[in-house]
Amino acid sequence: MALRIVASRPDPAIITLPWATPLEEWGEEHVVPLPRGLSRHVVRIVRLRERVYAVKETVEPIAFREYRLLRDLQRMGMPAVVPQGVVAGRLDADGEELPAALITQHLRFSLPYRSLFSHGAGREDLPRLVDALVVLLVRLHLADFYWGDVSLSNVLFRRSAEGFAAYLVDAETGELRPSLSRQMREHDVTVATENVFAELLDLQASLPEGGSMARAIEPHEVVELLQRRYDELWSELTGHEEFSAGELWRIERRLERLNDLGFDVDELDIVTDYDGDQVRIQPKVVEAGHHRRELQSLTGLDVEDAQARRLLNDLAAFTATYDLGREDRQLVANRWLTKIYEPLVALIPDEARGKLEPAQFFHEVLVHRWYLSERAGRPVDIFDTARDYIDNVLGSKPEEALAADEDPTSDDPDPDETPPDPADAPTDAGGVRR
């Protein structure tokens, strides 16, 4: 049987991997020690020159089905790992068949949920993980995707400002349908609550007995939160709203609420009664990434949506500080990009560039500045803040992984305290925050 490789944008180096060897026997020559989530399959993270891939052994028809499904999700702009290819026709040294292998691109700066907690994530992060999982599930359902095996283990998480963004990793049980019924959505949510409940019990058992994190995990409360957040978000994105013809301002308010959630409305169904006295509105097509698209159109930066919102807030503060409100917004954004964002990111030492995405680094510098300014009782220059952050915080973060947010001062903040908004940092007499 000849080795068969089907790949999108093929990397010739894939051929050099030891496909005649079972995946579990691959050695350090190819495998890199990056965290992997729990899986029923053998999975390895491999490095080929400058690229990193995840390789999963599975049955050939399933490998090709998942590969094509992930490609469909990629074309639709869904948050999922990017498929690279499938390797079939594998034989070992004795001529025995080996499982096919699905290859996906490794998602940089991401971690499975268990590794997040081993890298210092705290009890305040658990609701944020649930929120990220809910947003992912709702987005997939809006795209008529039935997941079938919703769980924390089938997701990778990346930091996005003070929260997380979730990416689908395992689409083996998934299915894109012409339309997704309410029953199938409800089944996905039920499976999610059951799997997350079991995963949290397992996580609780793996943590140090009597530790604060183990005591803080309440699986029943978390799955109730998951169900409630899903229902709320789905209702906000798809539910109808009725009001009198004299309250047309409520259309704009509904759109603003969806924008605040990070969604744009591409199509809105507006129906009036026979006399035109009552109006009924319902979003028909919603698309995630409102802030991300706005920032990209202004600056060219492509970041997570919550990061984009934080950067847009800083751009607004920059505009107000230098009284640029009457200037063309595109020109102001370019000035902010070249005078603030790019010089700040350029301060990251070369040896630390694998620790945080530039946008996440910028966000964490803003949070760090809030603490330093509060402690000093005056606004601290943002570039001085960045240097302090690099010297005292960045070095402790793991490579190509995300640790929990760290307090940049010697006085530890309350872990239950809401992270500060950098826009609230103290200003000097002239209002200059820089």
Side-chain angles (χ1 to χ4, degrees):
M1 183 185 297
L3 191 68
R4 178 190 176 199
I5 301 177
V6 176
S8 60
R9 299 180 182 177
D11 181 351
I14 289 176
I15 300 175
T16 67
L17 290 170
W19 296 116
T21 303
L23 192 55
E24 62 183 355
E25 297 177 13
W26 287 15
E28 295 180 356
E29 178 184 357
H30 302 288
V31 177
V32 292
L34 290 174
R36 305 188 307 271
L38 299 177
S39 174
R40 65 177 68 91
H41 303 285
V42 178
V43 179
R44 293 292 183 268
I45 310 296
V46 302
R47 185 185 299 276
L48 291 175
R49 296 179 295 195
E50 299 301 316
R51 299 181 179 180
V52 181
Y53 300 102
V55 183
K56 177 176 77 172
E57 284 185 335
T58 186
V59 180
E60 181 176 331
I62 295 178
F64 277 106
R65 180 181 179 278
E66 186 171 6
Y67 168 73
R68 295 189 180 100
L69 187 54
L70 287 172
R71 290 204 70 186
D72 288 339
L73 292 174
Q74 181 188 9
R75 283 190 286 267
M76 297 167 66
M78 291 294 106
V81 292
V82 176
Q84 184 67 31
V86 174
V87 178
R90 299 173 62 206
L91 299 175
D92 65 14
D94 299 323
E96 297 293 326
E97 291 188 17
L98 293 174
L102 171 67
I103 308 171
T104 57
Q105 296 178 19
H106 173 64
L107 186 63
R108 289 196 69 197
F109 305 105
S110 68
L111 280 178
Y113 80 100
R114 293 176 67 92
S115 296
L116 276 170
F117 289 101
S118 68
H119 282 87
R123 60 184 181 270
E124 72 280 2
D125 288 307
L126 202 48
R128 298 170 189 169
L129 291 179
V130 170
D131 282 342
L133 179 62
V134 165
V135 170
L136 172 62
L137 183 56
V138 167
R139 289 188 63 181
L140 292 171
H141 283 174
L142 288 170
D144 296 315
F145 177 84
Y146 169 71
W147 193 338
D149 191 17
V150 188
S151 69
L152 294 171
S153 298
N154 288 335
V155 171
L156 284 174
F157 294 95
R158 298 171 73 176
R159 286 279 182 186
S160 180
E162 69 274 8
F164 295 92
Y167 286 76
L168 175 71
V169 175
D170 193 328
E172 187 174 301
T173 58
E175 181 182 355
L176 275 170
R177 302 180 63 84
S179 65
L180 194 64
S181 68
R182 177 180 59 82
Q183 291 80 6
M184 297 191 79
R185 288 195 302 104
E186 290 176 349
H187 183 264
D188 254 354
V189 176
T190 298
V191 170
T193 57
E194 293 172 350
N195 284 342
V196 170
F197 183 81
E199 288 168 326
L200 292 179
L201 287 177
D202 183 60
L203 175 63
Q204 198 173 40
S206 69
L207 295 170
E209 187 174 353
S212 60
M213 187 60 215
R215 294 196 307 271
I217 296 176
E218 295 289 348
H220 284 287
E221 293 181 4
V222 173
V223 297
E224 289 174 2
L225 176 66
L226 190 156
Q227 177 75 62
R228 185 172 70 255
R229 293 284 174 85
Y230 177 90
D231 292 340
E232 291 171 350
L233 183 56
W234 184 263
S235 176
E236 187 65 58
L237 293 177
T238 65
H240 74 268
E241 187 175 347
E242 294 186 7
F243 45 85
S244 70
E247 298 178 294
L248 294 181
W249 53 268
R250 291 176 61 171
I251 297 177
E252 189 66 28
R253 190 177 70 173
R254 179 70 177 274
L255 298 178
E256 289 175 354
R257 289 204 309 269
L258 294 177
N259 290 165
D260 287 341
L261 291 171
F263 290 82
D264 282 321
V265 178
D266 189 55
E267 187 175 313
L268 185 66
D269 191 13
I270 304 176
V271 180
T272 63
D273 64 7
Y274 182 78
D275 297 323
D277 293 331
Q278 291 294 119
V279 179
R280 180 180 183 271
I281 63 171
Q282 182 176 23
K284 301 297 290 184
V285 180
V286 293
E287 185 178 2
H290 169 76
H291 305 103
R292 184 177 190 171
R293 284 188 294 274
E294 183 180 359
L295 182 72
Q296 190 169 26
S297 70
L298 289 170
T299 66
L301 297 174
D302 186 13
V303 303
E304 297 291 350
D305 201 63
Q307 292 170 341
R309 183 172 186 173
R310 183 53 55 85
L311 268 57
L312 286 168
N313 287 343
D314 195 68
L315 172 58
F318 175 84
T319 304
T321 295
Y322 294 103
D323 194 22
L324 300 173
R326 292 178 294 276
E327 301 292 332
D328 181 273
R329 195 166 181 230
Q330 198 85 43
L331 296 177
V332 177
N334 183 69
R335 183 173 173 182
W336 170 84
L337 185 70
T338 57
K339 290 185 175 294
I340 303 297
Y341 182 83
E342 289 178 345
L344 197 78
V345 169
L347 294 176
I348 305 175
D350 290 341
E351 64 273 14
R353 291 192 175 274
K355 294 178 179 290
L356 288 174
E357 291 177 287
Q360 186 66 23
F361 169 79
F362 191 89
H363 159 74
E364 297 199 8
V365 168
L366 293 178
V367 175
H368 192 67
R369 183 174 185 269
W370 190 93
Y371 285 118
L372 292 184
S373 298
E374 185 181 59
R375 185 172 63 177
R378 58 175 177 79
V380 177
D381 178 79
I382 194 168
F383 291 99
D384 291 341
T385 299
R387 296 183 188 96
D388 186 86
Y389 179 87
I390 291 169
D391 292 342
N392 297 307
V393 179
L394 186 59
S396 64
K397 290 189 176 287
E399 186 76 12
E400 286 203 325
L402 296 169
D405 288 333
E406 298 177 66
D407 176 15
T409 72
S410 58
D411 300 321
D412 293 336
D414 184 343
D416 292 321
E417 181 183 358
T418 302
D421 185 342
D424 295 332
T427 61
D428 63 16
V432 179
R433 299 171 54 249
R434 301 293 160 191

